[in-house]
Amino acid sequence: MPIKIRIAQIEDVEDILRIYAPYVLNTNITFEYDVPTLDEMKSRMQKTLETYPYLVALDDERIIGYAYASPFHSRAAYQWGSELSIYLDQHYHGQSIGKKLYSVLLALLKCMNVQNVYACITHPNEKSERFHAFFDFQMVGCFHRAGYKMGNWHDVVWMEKAIDHQQHIEALIPFSQLTHEQIESCLALCYDK
């Protein structure tokens, strides 16, 4: 059965937390120290879905990964920029699931008139850096010793991608205001990857 991508629902929170918890507890990929509670994760998802896409990948109805967008910065002039996040079940790496999630996520953001997307990556993380380079993200900077976790200081790198720079900027359309047809058209892209 092919991998399916759909919009996340609040009821998915336990599966999303199941995927995220090992990253918090066992890696420096996220700088959180403590696994969020179910209520905290629900709150984060609800807040995201008001303005940005939040996607899940399913293998035979089992959630195996997720990706979402969030504001790059709170000031008004930054509203056309978005930071992206992606997490996969540890058993599903290397199967192009991340590429399917990102293809849909980037298409949705383009429909919303987002112009720039950014990724903040703990460095070194060659796999994540290669993944973003596949989507034409460019390295733009490194913050040295930016986070302390698991007994060590870690650098972070920022990568960026211009989705569609135009002279005349259209207003940002919140994800919740995209049409059903726009969303379905973007979701269909996952079957081409």
Side-chain angles (χ1 to χ4, degrees):
M1 175 173 265
I3 300 300
K4 179 181 171 187
I5 307 295
R6 68 163 167 78
I7 306 304
Q9 302 164 356
I10 297 304
E11 296 77 32
D12 299 330
V13 69
E14 287 185 40
D15 287 321
I16 288 169
L17 204 49
R18 170 185 51 79
I19 292 167
Y20 185 56
Y23 288 94
V24 175
L25 297 173
N26 305 319
T27 78
N28 61 8
I29 290 172
T30 175
F31 281 180
E32 284 200 83
Y33 281 11
D34 301 314
V35 176
T37 65
L38 279 175
D39 286 341
E40 172 62 24
M41 207 65 166
K42 279 183 191 175
S43 176
R44 291 180 190 184
M45 288 179 68
Q46 287 169 329
K47 184 172 173 63
T48 297
L49 284 165
E50 289 172 8
T51 310
Y52 293 97
Y54 204 123
L55 306 171
V56 292
L58 299 103
D59 181 15
D60 195 24
E61 301 307 312
R62 173 181 160 81
I63 295 175
I64 57 170
Y66 67 98
Y68 62 92
S70 56
F72 173 62
H73 200 285
S74 61
R75 301 282 190 259
Y78 290 108
Q79 67 185 291
W80 292 276
S82 183
E83 184 178 348
L84 309 185
S85 297
I86 184 168
Y87 295 93
L88 298 178
D89 182 301
Q90 301 289 333
H91 299 99
Y92 286 86
H93 286 247
Q95 299 180 35
S96 296
I97 296 160
K99 290 178 181 175
K100 292 175 188 288
L101 282 164
Y102 253 41
S103 294
V104 174
L105 188 59
L106 290 167
L108 288 166
L109 292 168
K110 186 172 181 175
C111 287
M112 294 168 53
N113 297 323
V114 170
Q115 300 292 301
N116 301 299
V117 288
Y118 305 94
C120 181
I121 303 166
T122 305
H123 183 72
N125 184 337
E126 290 180 25
K127 187 162 54 170
S128 183
E129 291 169 31
R130 274 195 319 270
F131 171 78
H132 286 87
F134 174 84
F135 285 96
D136 297 322
F137 280 71
Q138 302 294 316
M139 191 78 65
V140 291
C142 180
F143 295 148
H144 301 282
R145 297 171 52 93
Y148 185 83
K149 186 173 179 186
M150 304 180 91
N152 291 298
W153 283 102
H154 303 282
D155 297 347
V156 294
V157 294
W158 280 91
M159 297 182 77
E160 70 176 358
K161 172 186 173 72
I163 293 181
D164 188 22
H165 276 178
Q166 301 174 6
Q167 271 311 100
H168 176 72
I169 300 297
E170 300 289 333
L172 185 71
I173 302 168
F175 173 69
S176 59
Q177 293 179 20
L178 292 183
T179 67
H180 176 74
E181 292 76 18
Q182 287 173 305
I183 293 170
E184 288 302 313
S185 174
C186 293
L187 288 171
L189 292 173
C190 74
Y191 300 107
D192 298 334
K193 299 291 176 200

